[in-house]
Amino acid sequence: MTPDSTPTTLAKTRAAEPDSVRPAAHDAQAALAAHAVHVVPKPGGFASATVPRHLARGAVGFGALVASLALLPVAGWVSLLLAPVGLLALRGCPMCWAIGLMETISAGRLRRSCANGRCELTRPAK
C-alpha cells in the first residue's frame, strides 16, 4: 500500500472534489420530488408504430406458425422452416405479440405525472 492510497488520503481527495465531479443522483431525485415532471410515454420494446401494422405482423406470424404445422403432412419437414418466420414476425412468441398489441393501443393515452414523491396516471387533455 502506497502512502498516497491510505483511506484518510482518499477521503480528503473525495471531499476536495468539485460538485461537478460528484454523482448527481441525489440532486436528480430532489429535483423530481420538488417539481412536477410529465413523462411522455415511449413505445415499449414490443410495440409497433401503428395498430394496423401490428395486426399485419400478427397475421403474418400466426399464419406462418399455423401453416408450418398444417403443411407438415403435405410438404414434410420443409414446412417447419415457416416456424422461425412466424416467431420473427411475432418478435419471439405469441405472448410477446399480445403485449406489443396492448402497448401499441395504449401508447400516448396515459401520462404519468409525479409531484412531491407521488406519481399517478392521468389522461392528457385533447
Side-chain angles (χ1 to χ4, degrees):
M1 194 169 195
T2 63
D4 292 325
S5 63
T6 61
T8 56
T9 306
L10 290 175
K12 289 177 185 176
T13 304
R14 287 187 182 147
E17 288 179 344
D19 289 337
S20 62
V21 177
R22 292 184 190 161
H26 180 68
D27 296 336
Q29 290 174 353
L32 285 175
H35 302 290
V37 176
H38 297 285
V39 178
V40 177
K42 296 178 184 176
F46 298 109
S48 295
T50 63
V51 173
R53 183 181 295 177
H54 196 83
L55 292 175
R57 267 192 33 244
V60 169
F62 286 115
L65 286 176
V66 169
S68 71
L69 295 176
L71 294 175
L72 195 57
V74 177
W77 295 102
V78 177
S79 69
L80 293 178
L81 294 175
L82 288 174
V85 173
L87 291 176
L88 183 67
L90 295 175
R91 293 190 185 160
C93 64
M95 183 58 77
C96 300
W97 179 84
I99 291 170
L101 179 62
M102 297 303 161
E103 288 179 352
T104 303
I105 290 172
S106 69
R109 292 185 182 224
L110 293 176
R111 298 264 161 73
R112 183 175 69 172
S113 60
C114 299
N116 298 326
R118 183 172 178 230
C119 297
E120 56 187 34
L121 292 174
T122 57
R123 293 179 191 258
K126 291 185 178 183

